[in-house]
Amino acid sequence: MAIRLHNSISRREEEFEALEPGTVRIYSCGPTVYDHPHLGNWRANIFVDLLKRYLIYRGFEVRHVMNITDVDDKTIRGARETGMKERDLLNIDPADAYPKATGHIEGMLQLVDELRTGGLTYESEGSIYYAVDRFPEYGRLSGIDFEGLKPGARVDVDEYEKEEARDFVLWKARKPEDGDVWWESPFGEGRPGWHLECSAMSAEYLGIPFDIHTGGIDLIFPHHENEIAQTWGATGKRLARFWLHNEHLIVDGRKMSKSLGNFITLNDLLEDGVDPVAIRYMLLGTHYRQLLNFRPDGLDGAATSVARIREAARLWSERAGRTEETGALAGEAEESAASAVETFTTALDADLNISEGLAAVFDLIRSGNALLDRGLGADGAGVLHRTLTGFDSVLAVLDGGAGENADLSAEILAMIEAREEARATRDWSEADRLRDALLEAGIVVEDTPDGPRWKRT
Ligand code: AMP
Ligand code: ZN
């Protein structure tokens, strides 16, 4: 059986085949770093994490790149470290590379140059625009009909409404309000349009076309439509084979977002004592193309489910160490395990149908625990345990990043966070004071290139 994924560009499920057999190259539009990520952003990340983990479960190697939209180095360090720490708490596997926009201006300028040479751009008042009516496929991903598009109507802003679809800016002429955020270029001083970074960095880090491009559905237009136009226009190649988009996390019927002010951060929930793995489970458990309504009481159910999975793993591994009647009921355990694996795999093969996948996990837990009551021996318990940890390589709720840190108190987390902030603002004496206070509380913090890690003394 092959994996099938819903491809936004064809609007249907298609059989997935890696462009280079055995390896899947994935690009995800990442966060704008000066924003502290909220649970909606984490939903997008956990969807990609599920996708990656399942592809690995099915034997693929995965190379994953996520861009970081930075503006300048000074403002971002604190936000980035907070983001990485939260990512670890949610058991999200890191990407293989996190290229930063400001480090790739050269590649973006080259794209603009190629588009210009290809006759797809024009200049106005020092800015360069993409003339979208010269790219016949414009609108294919979003399905927007651009019949009424007025040639020459253009926007300078990076995000705009559907009705306003028009020529978008590739290079923005420098303005006084840009402060010191501008670059020299063959087109004059200025800064790149936001859509350029993904076309430039995905090509550099993955090569084009790559296998899968992901993002939230809000990015389909204009961002992804413009990425496609840029890459195709400059190179004549498709950007990605598959486009996968996650639905939104909503609160009271509206998208969770910074601008609506209805957002909740991971830290808000940690302060209430919620286990980050329960949050992961909640964000993971609804199919990625369905709206997910955030309700705090949904976290109780998630915590219970996680506890049941952990309890089964504990009981089964305990039984796997028993020495008498090791072979008892092994055949039945093997049958249950094989049937669970088959149901789990069939479900996730079908565009990552996680709810059916989880149902298979809980079926196994029910039948496995019943076997335990009937005197299951070590061999069968070992089979059950291995099957469950196999599922958990996809679900990642047994341990991992949260593991021993899961029970860090809100107070300790707040101290770690405050120390990062102090470091970001170069307040070394405050950072040292907090490090000592943490040490007193039994926590050692080490600074690594990926941000701080901590462990118990
Ligand atoms: P942003 O920081 O807003 O650029 O978003 C980073 C990623 O999170 C993008 O893929 C967005 O589509 C996604 N995202 C933002 N808000 C939500 C939400 N409420 N639900 C799901 N994904 C979201
Ligand atoms: Zn992007």
Side-chain angles (χ1 to χ4, degrees):
M1 273 286 291
I3 299 175
R4 297 178 67 79
L5 297 171
H6 184 272
N7 193 350
S8 303
I9 205 156
S10 63
R11 292 169 186 74
R12 59 182 179 81
E13 270 182 28
E14 291 177 40
E15 192 168 309
F16 177 75
E17 242 179 274
L19 293 165
E20 177 195 320
T23 304
V24 185
R25 288 170 294 153
I26 304 176
Y27 183 90
S28 305
C29 294
T32 313
V33 281
Y34 48 81
D35 287 342
H36 188 128
H38 54 68
L39 291 183
N41 302 131
W42 288 125
R43 182 181 193 198
N45 276 269
I46 283 180
F47 149 60
V48 186
D49 193 52
L50 172 66
L51 172 69
K52 284 166 61 179
R53 286 172 175 275
Y54 188 62
L55 289 166
I56 292 167
Y57 178 86
R58 294 287 266 113
F60 290 99
E61 269 183 43
V62 170
R63 178 158 169 77
H64 180 215
V65 175
M66 179 183 279
N67 68 305
I68 304 274
T69 304
D70 56 348
V71 179
D72 65 280
D73 261 359
K74 291 189 288 294
T75 52
I76 69 161
R77 202 173 299 114
R80 202 170 81 124
E81 289 179 357
T82 306
M84 299 224 175
K85 187 188 79 204
E86 294 192 350
R87 179 197 67 204
D88 290 346
L89 285 171
L90 290 168
N91 286 350
I92 295 172
D93 265 348
D96 297 290
Y98 291 99
K100 288 194 279 181
T102 52
H104 295 80
I105 305 291
E106 271 305 306
M108 299 188 221
L109 287 172
Q110 198 180 326
L111 273 177
V112 180
D113 193 52
E114 283 161 3
L115 289 167
R116 194 166 69 152
T117 310
L120 291 165
T121 67
Y122 58 88
E123 198 213 298
S124 172
E125 293 172 11
S127 292
I128 313 268
Y129 296 86
Y130 194 119
V132 298
D133 65 333
R134 295 181 213 158
F135 176 56
E137 297 222 16
Y138 198 73
R140 184 160 157 219
L141 175 70
S142 54
I144 299 172
D145 180 3
F146 291 106
E147 273 305 299
L149 183 75
K150 290 195 192 69
R154 55 184 180 262
V155 284
D156 291 312
V157 289
D158 285 321
E159 292 190 70
Y160 44 98
E161 299 299 323
K162 282 191 188 359
E163 309 80 65
E164 293 180 327
R166 44 190 78 166
D167 296 344
F168 61 93
V169 70
L170 295 163
W171 186 259
K172 305 184 213 187
R174 180 181 168 191
K175 294 202 184 94
E177 57 268 31
D178 291 339
D180 58 359
V181 185
W182 57 272
W183 289 265
E184 296 281 358
S185 90
F187 327 110
E189 295 169 351
R191 56 201 288 179
W194 167 51
H195 312 294
L196 265 183
E197 65 182 77
C198 292
S199 288
M201 298 196 283
S202 60
E204 179 176 336
Y205 285 78
L206 294 173
I208 48 168
F210 52 89
D211 296 285
I212 303 175
H213 195 311
T214 77
I217 51 163
D218 52 308
L219 296 185
I220 292 177
F221 187 85
H223 184 52
H224 289 166
E225 197 76 75
N226 292 352
E227 282 186 26
I228 291 172
Q230 290 165 163
T231 298
W232 180 271
T235 66
K237 286 193 202 161
R238 277 179 313 168
L239 182 58
R241 169 75 182 82
F242 277 80
W243 289 82
L244 268 58
H245 291 101
N246 65 275
E247 250 299 353
H248 286 142
L249 180 71
I250 56 172
V251 188
D252 296 330
R254 305 172 83 188
K255 176 188 172 193
M256 183 179 286
S257 73
K258 206 88 187 172
S259 51
L260 289 173
N262 61 352
F263 61 92
I264 297 167
T265 67
L266 183 66
N267 207 45
D268 295 337
L269 295 177
L270 295 179
E271 277 174 1
D272 293 339
V274 182
D275 177 354
V277 177
I279 300 166
R280 173 185 175 88
Y281 188 95
M282 181 207 55
L283 294 174
L284 184 81
T286 295
H287 189 263
Y288 75 93
R289 290 197 297 116
Q290 279 171 14
L291 284 170
L292 171 56
N293 193 6
F294 176 76
R295 299 199 348 253
D297 54 355
L299 285 166
D300 296 338
T304 312
S305 300
V306 170
R308 282 184 65 203
I309 299 172
R310 287 181 176 169
E311 177 70 354
R314 191 180 65 76
L315 291 172
W316 298 351
S317 109
E318 221 170 74
R319 183 67 60 93
R322 196 158 88 170
T323 48
E324 70 265 26
E325 289 188 67
T326 51
L329 297 172
E332 286 191 44
E334 262 162 36
E335 258 173 51
S336 292
S339 131
V341 167
E342 161 132 18
T343 316
F344 182 83
T345 311
T346 307
L348 282 134
D349 274 358
D351 195 32
L352 304 174
N353 186 339
I354 187 69
S355 22
E356 279 183 26
L358 287 170
V361 175
F362 287 107
D363 275 349
L364 180 70
I365 290 176
R366 252 187 309 276
S367 58
N369 286 342
L371 287 172
L372 219 54
D373 288 344
R374 288 170 50 207
L376 179 70
D379 297 349
V383 170
L384 294 180
H385 187 253
R386 275 193 299 281
T387 307
L388 190 57
T389 50
F391 292 155
D392 192 61
S393 69
V394 179
L395 307 176
V397 297
L398 282 180
D399 46 27
E404 60 169 326
N405 297 320
D407 57 353
L408 278 185
S409 69
E411 197 189 343
I412 296 282
L413 279 170
M415 278 160 77
I416 292 171
E417 202 142 57
R419 180 175 166 271
E420 282 159 44
E421 262 162 39
R423 278 166 45 80
T425 54
R426 302 178 167 267
D427 186 352
W428 306 121
S429 63
E430 175 67 358
D432 285 347
R433 189 187 70 73
L434 285 160
R435 180 198 287 265
D436 291 344
L438 281 161
L439 205 55
E440 218 151 278
I443 304 291
V444 194
V445 187
E446 278 166 25
D447 296 303
T448 74
D450 276 344
R453 306 251 153 172
W454 60 89
K455 56 175 193 249
R456 296 184 187 285
T457 47

